[in-house]
Amino acid sequence: MKEQLYQYILSLGDNSMILGHRLSELCGHGPSLETDIALTNISLDLFGQVRNYFQYAAELKGEEVSEDQIAFLRYPHEYSNTLLVEQPNKDFAYVIARQFLFDAFHKPFLEGLCASNDDTLAAIAKKSLKESQYHLRFSSEWTKRLGAGTEESHERMQNAINYLWPYLGELFTVGELEQEMASYGIAPDMEAVKASCMQTIAETFAEADIQTPDSKWTQSGGKKGVHTEHLGFILADLQYMQRTYPNMDW
C-alpha cells in the first residue's frame, strides 16, 4: 500500500510539474504584459503544488530520497503525467485550450481530493484548490474571449480544441492504481470529476461559440510511462543542471 500511494502521489505531481514547465517557457513571450505575468504565476502555483506532492512522496519513500531527486533524476518512462500537459505551445490558442481542458478537470479533482482519507493529500488539495479556481477563471475567460472574438481568433481556438480534444479522456482513465487508491478512500470518484468537468466545458464552449469535437478517440499512455517525443525535450531542459552537476546544492 505504501508503494502504491507513493506512485499515486508521483502521478499527481508529474501533471503539475510538466504543465508548469510548459507555461514557464512562455515567460517573456505572452501577448501582453498582464497575460505574461498571469501565465508565469500559474506556472509558479503548479510548481508549488509539485513541491508539496514530492515532499510528501520523499517522506514516504525514505532512504534519503529528496524531492529534487524525484523531480529531476527519473527517466522518461518513470513519469506518469498525462499526454495533454506535455503538448507544445504551438500558439496562444493552444496554450489556452490546453490550460482550460486541464483546469476544467483539475478543479473538481481537487475538490474530490479534499475529502481524501489521506490527511496530507487532503491538506495539499485544499491549498491547491484556491489556486485552481483562479486558473480555471483565467483560462475559461480567455477561451470565451478568443472563441467569440474575431474570425481568426475563433478559428485558431476551434483548431486548438479539435487538436487537443483526444488528449482529454486520459485525465479520467482509471487504472489499477487509481482503483486501489479509491478503494482506500484516498482518490476521488473519477465519474463525479468527469461529470463536473464536462459540464464546465459545455457551458464555456456555449459562451465561446466553440463546437465540441465529435471524435470519441482518446490518446493514452502517459499514465503508464508511454509518452510523446515532447517529454524527452522537456526533461532535457529540466534535468540539465542535476545531471551535469550531480548532488549540486544551492
Side-chain angles (χ1 to χ4, degrees):
M1 162 56 176
K2 187 176 180 180
E3 178 61 25
Q4 286 81 357
L5 177 58
Y6 171 78
Q7 293 297 332
Y8 182 67
I9 295 169
L10 292 193
S11 71
L12 304 183
D14 286 347
N15 269 334
S16 294
M17 183 174 73
I18 299 304
L19 182 57
H21 179 76
R22 273 297 186 217
L23 293 177
S24 75
E25 295 175 339
L26 297 165
C27 186
H29 300 282
S32 67
L33 180 60
E34 181 181 9
T35 306
D36 191 299
I37 294 173
L39 291 170
T40 303
N41 282 335
I42 292 174
S43 175
L44 290 172
D45 287 344
L46 291 171
F47 278 120
Q49 295 170 20
V50 175
R51 290 206 65 192
N52 289 329
Y53 285 130
F54 286 179
Q55 283 173 354
Y56 183 29
E59 180 184 326
L60 285 174
K61 196 68 172 175
E63 302 172 4
E64 299 183 356
V65 173
S66 69
E67 60 179 291
D68 285 344
Q69 290 172 320
I70 293 173
F72 300 124
L73 297 182
R74 283 181 288 152
Y75 294 105
H77 69 274
E78 296 175 310
Y79 286 79
S80 52
N81 60 277
T82 58
L83 300 181
L84 173 67
V85 298
E86 62 193 54
Q87 297 307 302
N89 304 318
K90 290 192 173 184
D91 63 21
F92 186 61
Y94 276 80
V95 170
I96 293 300
R98 183 189 60 209
Q99 190 66 38
F100 171 66
L101 293 178
F102 180 77
D103 292 340
F105 154 80
H106 202 209
K107 177 178 174 290
F109 179 85
L110 291 174
E111 289 172 340
L113 196 60
C114 284
S116 174
N117 287 337
D118 186 296
D119 292 339
T120 303
L121 281 181
I124 294 173
K126 288 174 184 177
K127 181 180 184 300
S128 303
L129 180 58
K130 297 177 182 179
E131 299 167 343
S132 177
Q133 290 168 339
Y134 163 72
H135 300 170
L136 179 58
R137 184 166 67 249
F138 172 85
S139 60
S140 62
E141 287 301 319
W142 266 109
T143 298
K144 297 171 191 176
R145 187 173 177 180
L146 294 175
T150 65
E151 182 177 345
E152 181 178 358
S153 72
H154 171 79
E155 181 180 0
R156 286 176 178 266
M157 195 67 209
Q158 184 70 65
N159 288 341
I161 291 295
N162 291 346
Y163 180 85
L164 294 170
W165 189 257
Y167 296 98
L168 175 65
E170 187 181 14
L171 292 168
F172 312 115
T173 301
V174 178
E176 292 182 6
L177 182 61
E178 289 90 353
Q179 289 177 350
E180 183 171 2
M181 291 298 101
S183 71
Y184 287 108
I186 294 175
D189 178 0
M190 294 304 288
E191 286 299 322
V193 172
K194 182 178 181 179
S196 178
C197 173
M198 298 310 293
Q199 180 179 353
T200 297
I201 289 174
E203 292 173 353
T204 303
F205 280 5
E207 292 188 53
D209 195 27
I210 294 294
Q211 298 298 313
T212 301
D214 295 328
S215 174
K216 304 298 182 183
W217 171 254
T218 296
Q219 295 278 8
S220 63
K223 287 187 174 184
K224 296 181 179 180
V226 182
H227 296 279
T228 66
E229 69 276 14
H230 305 302
L231 183 64
F233 291 102
I234 291 173
L235 295 181
D237 284 340
L238 274 173
Q239 298 183 348
Y240 174 77
M241 294 295 285
Q242 287 287 345
R243 297 284 188 185
T244 306
Y245 304 100
N247 303 315
M248 68 176 295
D249 193 14
W250 291 101

